[in-house]
Amino acid sequence: MPDEESASTSTGGGPEYDDAGVPTFESVRDQIEARYATAQGAAELDAETAEGRSVDEQYEERQRAAAERLAQIRESMRPEEG
């Protein structure tokens, strides 16, 4: 297995490990940054598609409808004056 570890570190594709077999801080940070960048890029691409915009618009419409319904419920619970 040590041969595999040295092969992965020499190619730069796999995580780097210290002598105890623990991933180095730098390799863990690089993995996290790569995953974050991938997720951020996917979100940007999704927002640029018609389907992605449609989902956002549907969500905003549901939020508005929910706020209106909540206002109606609160109004109906107020005591009648007069």
Side-chain angles (χ1 to χ4, degrees):
M1 220 148 167
D3 294 331
E4 292 175 11
E5 288 179 16
S6 63
S8 68
T9 57
S10 65
T11 60
E16 298 176 13
Y17 295 91
D18 63 9
D19 294 336
V22 178
T24 63
F25 176 76
E26 290 81 18
S27 69
V28 172
R29 183 186 61 222
D30 290 344
Q31 287 178 343
I32 292 170
E33 288 175 351
R35 289 178 185 169
Y36 177 75
T38 300
Q40 191 173 24
E44 289 175 7
L45 289 174
D46 187 47
E48 292 177 6
T49 65
E51 185 177 279
R53 287 189 300 270
S54 174
V55 168
D56 286 341
E57 291 168 359
Q58 291 173 6
Y59 176 78
E60 290 170 7
E61 179 61 33
R62 280 192 298 257
Q63 291 296 96
R64 282 192 294 273
E68 290 174 9
R69 180 66 179 134
L70 182 59
Q72 289 174 353
I73 292 170
R74 286 179 176 161
E75 185 65 32
S76 70
M77 294 180 71
R78 287 190 180 152
E80 297 286 329
E81 292 185 26

